[in-house]
């Protein structure tokens, strides 16, 4: 027999099981490999400390984050154990903290049918995670969700919501888009240069400012509603996750285009923010004509007989240095940009690479406007480049992927060049999303994926192709010698 209960003092799910075999299997299923175990064991060998080889979601005493209830329930159903489960009244009440009040939907922008469904499910349960692909209108859904909480609050003057976004650019963007939705609550921005107005109902902040100012901002712990945008960035090991744990409100939501691709982070996210309430993928949005079509052209770059030392700890770094410094490769990218029409975004991972490309493109692409967006470029200048790209053509923007891979949407963007490789599922999918918004003179988004036929380059490209297949994105492969014919 399994009994699932709830501890109000710790806000934890309690699992009581009189069958040790079932309980141990349950714990083992919800565990992941501790990849640092070998290193930590060598480090603490002399102290006689035993480092566990696995990380467990469920403790030996049977407690875990309450959001894991639905994942555990699914496991029990699949293994035909659910008939042996009972729920305490305390747990039933803790899982469902939403409202059945009439939903307010009168905004400047009309909610799409699926956006209304998201709103209904979110308000009914009272917490949870929403997976909405790029272009699904997360900002409108978020603004509407907050509006309904605000209107249903007992005291509107003291109602407080914190919206956490990844970076500075998105603070301004989210703030402005909330206002454009026609919300009735008051808004404030909280960044390094903007102190929060604590009389405002909704405060929009970036992760960085929250991490650096949380200790001195005691009010954050006692907000009424927590919204986390790009929630996949909340990882079990990072600092922001510890801060979220200290925020007391049960009413919390995560919005993301993609869940983390490893169970440890996925279970942590769901455990803290609640179950997946709704999912609308980019492929569904493309099929329903809410997003533009997309195709990937994988360009295999053959570097000949070049040999890069791999029997060292810096083998991957050596390969990156080679492709970054390759004059032939940089020249190929420049010729590629000259061939591409309309606007192009080139994503790189390191400033050094971006600087090299900026110098080469400035010399070889004289008919194009060339910009390079990196961390030191202030928010206003980044916004100015976006405005130029929206209103003009023949613009090439080189950008650090960590800055431009999420949240930044440019409708008048026709081409994206993946110039730095990589194999991250989330970064690849989110990067494609930068150009999926509809535009009057755009029938498709073209992704140029540069695949360097080197040790790591080939392996990472194979991973990206798996991602394209999973996301139902058409792709084709060619060698660099056919580039001019290929792009016609």
């Amino acid at each position: 027999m399994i009994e699932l209960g709830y501890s109000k003092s710790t806000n934890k799910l309690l699992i009581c099981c009189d069958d040790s075999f079932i309980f141990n299997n349950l714990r083992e299923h919800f565990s992941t490999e501790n990849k640092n175990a070998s290193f930590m064991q060598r480090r603490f060998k002399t102290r006689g400390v035993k480092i566990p080889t696995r990380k467990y979601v469920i403790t030996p005493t049977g407690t875990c984050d309450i959001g894991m209830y639905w994942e555990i329930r699914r496991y029990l159903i699949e293994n035909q154990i659910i008939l042996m489960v009972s729920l305490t009244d305390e747990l039933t009440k803790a899982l469902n903290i939403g409202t059945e009040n009439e939903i307010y939907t009168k905004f400047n922008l009309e909610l799409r049918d699926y956006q209304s469904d998201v709103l209904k499910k979110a308000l009914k349960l009272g917490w949870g995670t929403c997976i909405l692909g790029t272009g699904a209108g997360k900002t409108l859904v978020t603004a509407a969700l907050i509006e309904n909480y605000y209107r249903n609050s007992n005291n509107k003057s003291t109602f407080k919501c914190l919206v956490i976004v990844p970076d500075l650019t998105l603070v301004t963007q989210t703030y402005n888009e909330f206002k454009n939705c026609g919300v009735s609550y008051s808004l404030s921005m909280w960044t390094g240069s903007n102190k929060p107005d604590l009389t405002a109902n909704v405060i929009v902040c970036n992760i960085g400012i929250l991490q650096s100012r949380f200790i001195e901002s005691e009010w954050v712990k006692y907000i009424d509603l927590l919204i986390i945008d790009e929630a996949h960035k909340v990882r079990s090991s990072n600092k922001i996750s510890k801060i979220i744990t200290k925020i007391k409100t049960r009413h919390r939501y995560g919005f993301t285009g993609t869940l983390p691709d490893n169970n440890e982070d996925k279970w942590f996210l769901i455990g803290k923010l609640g179950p997946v309430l709704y999912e609308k993928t980019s492929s569904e949005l493309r099929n329903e004509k809410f997003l533009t079509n997309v195709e990937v052209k994988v360009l295999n770059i053959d570097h000949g007989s070049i040999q890069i030392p791999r029997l060292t700890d810096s083998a991957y770094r050596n390969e990156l240095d080679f492709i970054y410094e390759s004059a032939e490769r940089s020249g190929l990218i420049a010729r590629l940009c000259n061939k591409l029409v309309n606007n192009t975004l080139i994503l790189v991972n390191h400033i050094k690479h971006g600087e090299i490309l900026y110098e080469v493109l400035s010399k070889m692409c004289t008919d194009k406007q060339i910009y390079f967006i990196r961390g030191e470029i202030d928010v206003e200048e980044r916004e100015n480049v976006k405005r130029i790209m929206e209103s003009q053509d023949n613009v090439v923007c080189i950008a650090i992927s960590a800055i431009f891979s999420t949240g930044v949407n440019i409708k008048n963007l026709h081409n994206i060049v993946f110039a730095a490789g990589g194999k991250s599922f989330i970064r690849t999918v989110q990067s494609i999303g930068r150009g999926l918004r509809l535009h009057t003179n755009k029938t498709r988004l073209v992704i140029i994926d540069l695949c360097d036929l080197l040790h790591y380059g080939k392996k990472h490209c194979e991973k990206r192709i798996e991602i394209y297949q999973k996301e139902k994105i058409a792709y084709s492969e060619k060698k660099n010698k056919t580039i001019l014919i290929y792009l016609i």
Side-chain angles (χ1 to χ4, degrees), residues 85-96:
V85 175
S86 66
L87 305 182
T88 64
D89 292 339
E90 292 83 358
L91 177 60
T92 302
K93 292 176 182 177
L95 294 172
N96 299 280

Side-chain angles (χ1 to χ4, degrees), residues 12 24 38 64 74 88 100 135 155 164 178 222 238 278 290 294 359 365 378 382 394 424 469 476 487:
K12 293 286 186 180
N24 289 335
S38 296
C64 66
R74 184 180 298 113
T88 64
E100 297 287 351
N155 189 339
I164 305 173
F178 276 7
Y222 305 102
N238 60 17
Y278 197 95
F290 289 120
V294 58
E359 182 179 352
C365 303
D378 62 37
R382 296 181 201 178
N394 289 321
S424 166
Q469 293 171 337
S476 56
L487 293 171

Side-chain angles (χ1 to χ4, degrees), residues 64-82:
C64 66
D65 287 326
I66 186 173
M68 283 298 295
Y69 163 76
W70 286 270
E71 294 290 312
I72 291 172
R73 183 177 185 274
R74 184 180 298 113
Y75 169 83
L76 296 175
I77 291 174
E78 290 173 352
N79 289 273
Q80 300 181 341
I81 306 172
I82 193 65

Side-chain angles (χ1 to χ4, degrees), residues 8-229:
K8 188 174 182 180
S9 60
T10 61
N11 189 32
K12 293 286 186 180
L13 181 68
L14 304 177
I15 304 169
C16 297
C17 181
D18 54 12
D19 188 323
S20 60
F21 178 78
I22 291 176
F23 180 71
N24 289 335
N25 280 346
L26 183 65
R27 285 196 72 221
E28 201 63 32
H29 177 78
F30 291 103
S31 68
T32 57
E33 179 187 1
N34 183 359
K35 295 181 180 180
N36 293 324
S38 296
F39 169 76
M40 296 298 290
Q41 192 64 65
R42 290 195 300 270
R43 183 179 177 184
F44 292 104
K45 185 176 181 180
T46 57
R47 304 183 191 179
V49 178
K50 177 67 174 177
I51 303 298
T53 58
R54 300 193 67 79
K55 295 181 179 180
Y56 291 89
V57 172
I58 303 170
T59 68
T61 57
T63 65
C64 66
D65 287 326
I66 186 173
M68 283 298 295
Y69 163 76
W70 286 270
E71 294 290 312
I72 291 172
R73 183 177 185 274
R74 184 180 298 113
Y75 169 83
L76 296 175
I77 291 174
E78 290 173 352
N79 289 273
Q80 300 181 341
I81 306 172
I82 193 65
L83 296 177
M84 303 165 58
V85 175
S86 66
L87 305 182
T88 64
D89 292 339
E90 292 83 358
L91 177 60
T92 302
K93 292 176 182 177
L95 294 172
N96 299 280
I97 55 174
T99 176
E100 297 287 351
N101 292 344
E102 183 178 353
I103 299 174
Y104 181 85
T105 59
K106 296 178 181 178
F107 300 96
N108 292 343
L109 299 173
E110 184 178 353
L111 289 167
R112 298 168 183 168
D113 290 343
Y114 68 83
Q115 291 174 324
S116 295
D117 290 342
V118 176
L119 190 58
K120 290 174 185 175
K121 290 185 177 183
L123 289 168
K124 183 176 181 179
L125 190 64
W127 63 315
T129 305
C130 302
I131 305 173
L132 298 174
T134 299
K138 284 186 295 180
T139 305
L140 176 57
V141 175
T142 304
L145 180 61
I146 299 171
E147 181 72 25
N148 278 272
Y149 268 93
Y150 172 69
R151 288 176 176 269
N152 292 331
S153 63
N154 294 325
N155 189 339
K156 291 184 176 63
S157 63
T158 60
F159 172 80
K160 193 76 66 191
C161 169
L162 182 67
V163 179
I164 305 173
V165 299
D167 55 48
L168 286 171
T169 303
L170 284 176
V171 173
T172 305
Q173 180 176 306
T174 303
Y175 175 89
N176 290 333
E177 289 185 4
F178 276 7
K179 284 202 163 188
N180 292 337
C181 289
V183 297
S184 62
Y185 45 78
S186 56
L187 286 155
S188 174
M189 291 188 289
W190 182 19
T191 65
S193 56
N194 294 284
K195 291 184 178 181
D197 177 3
L198 297 184
T199 65
N201 301 121
V202 178
I203 296 174
V204 184
C205 75
N206 61 302
I207 288 177
I209 195 67
L210 187 60
Q211 290 178 159
S212 62
R213 303 283 175 82
F214 178 74
I215 295 177
E216 63 196 66
S217 305
E218 189 72 10
W219 59 270
V220 173
K221 296 180 182 178
Y222 305 102
I223 57 175
D224 302 295
L225 176 63
L226 174 65
I227 304 284
I228 303 175
D229 186 29

Side-chain angles (χ1 to χ4, degrees), residues 395-449:
V395 179
V396 177
C397 177
I398 305 163
I400 300 295
S401 58
I403 297 174
F404 257 47
S405 65
T406 57
V408 177
N409 301 300
I410 302 171
K411 295 180 181 179
N412 191 26
L413 176 61
H414 298 69
N415 315 294
I416 300 177
V417 179
F418 290 169
K423 59 181 179 177
S424 166
F425 175 83
I426 289 175
R427 178 167 288 186
T428 301
V429 172
Q430 296 280 4
S431 296
I432 292 171
R434 299 318 99 215
L436 288 178
R437 299 299 177 98
L438 298 173
H439 193 270
T440 52
N441 71 343
K442 181 170 64 176
T443 58
R444 63 172 181 166
L445 171 69
V446 177
I447 306 294
I448 308 295
D449 185 329

